[in-house]
Amino acid sequence: MVEPTISAGLVSGFLDFASSQGADRAQLAEQAGIPIEQIDDPDKRIPLSRFIKAMKLAKTITGNPALALHYGEEIAMSEVSILGLIMEASATMGEAFAQLQRYGRLAIENVDKTADSRFELVQEGGQLFMVDMREYPSDFSALTEEAFVRLT
């Protein structure tokens, strides 16, 4: 089985953000098993498990359990991924959402092969909800938190 990956740009952006919050960038990358030379090339892919480890370590090091929320809030997707540029070029939020579904794997591979798309828009009770379609979204809730704050 091939392990899901995440773009090096997203990892690099996170490590930069974590270092601005008190973590040592190089040490964090080393502890998570991320070769520092790979994250400086936005075309590289990093195993998702190493990014998850880096995020968990960074939350502990910085003492900030909401680090993923703050990362998504403060760092625009267009700064760390071509996907963000594609979405920002969209005329409407609906079109941006469609581009996310189409090109999302450029940023992060779908970590749940049971879902056709990572997110789905669901209307219920006159309201519109964005639903994370991963089978177990709580297994790594920081991934959901970061994505939702960026999309909202």
Side-chain angles (χ1 to χ4, degrees):
M1 185 170 143
V2 177
E3 180 177 6
T5 62
I6 185 169
S7 75
L10 279 171
V11 176
S12 181
F14 175 74
L15 293 176
D16 288 345
F17 179 74
S19 71
S20 77
Q21 303 297 304
D24 181 283
R25 185 181 196 269
Q27 184 180 16
L28 183 57
E30 182 181 330
Q31 288 178 341
I34 300 169
I36 200 80
E37 66 276 359
Q38 285 189 352
I39 59 174
D40 293 329
D41 181 348
D43 293 328
K44 296 283 186 190
R45 306 292 297 181
I46 306 297
L48 181 62
S49 62
R50 293 182 186 179
F51 174 70
I52 291 170
K53 186 173 183 179
M55 188 171 281
K56 288 178 179 179
L57 286 166
K59 289 166 85 172
T60 300
I61 292 167
T62 63
N64 184 353
L67 194 63
L69 283 172
H70 296 286
Y71 172 50
E73 175 184 48
E74 293 187 28
I75 308 299
M77 186 69 161
S78 60
E79 292 180 42
V80 293
S81 173
I82 187 70
L83 175 61
L85 293 171
I86 293 169
M87 291 175 67
E88 284 187 9
S90 299
T92 66
M93 187 59 193
E95 184 181 316
F97 189 80
Q99 298 301 339
L100 169 67
Q101 301 297 57
R102 184 173 182 189
Y103 296 111
R105 287 180 177 88
L106 294 173
I108 184 170
E109 292 171 339
N110 192 348
V111 294
D112 184 351
K113 301 300 181 193
T114 63
D116 290 332
S117 58
R118 168 81 190 279
F119 299 104
E120 195 172 288
L121 295 177
V122 177
Q123 287 191 358
E124 188 175 300
Q127 296 182 318
L128 185 64
F129 295 90
M130 183 172 52
V131 179
D132 189 330
M133 298 305 293
R134 292 180 295 152
E135 187 174 10
Y136 303 106
S138 296
D139 282 354
F140 182 52
S141 60
L143 192 60
T144 302
E145 293 167 2
E146 176 199 348
F148 277 19
V149 76
R150 277 208 171 103
L151 292 169
T152 56

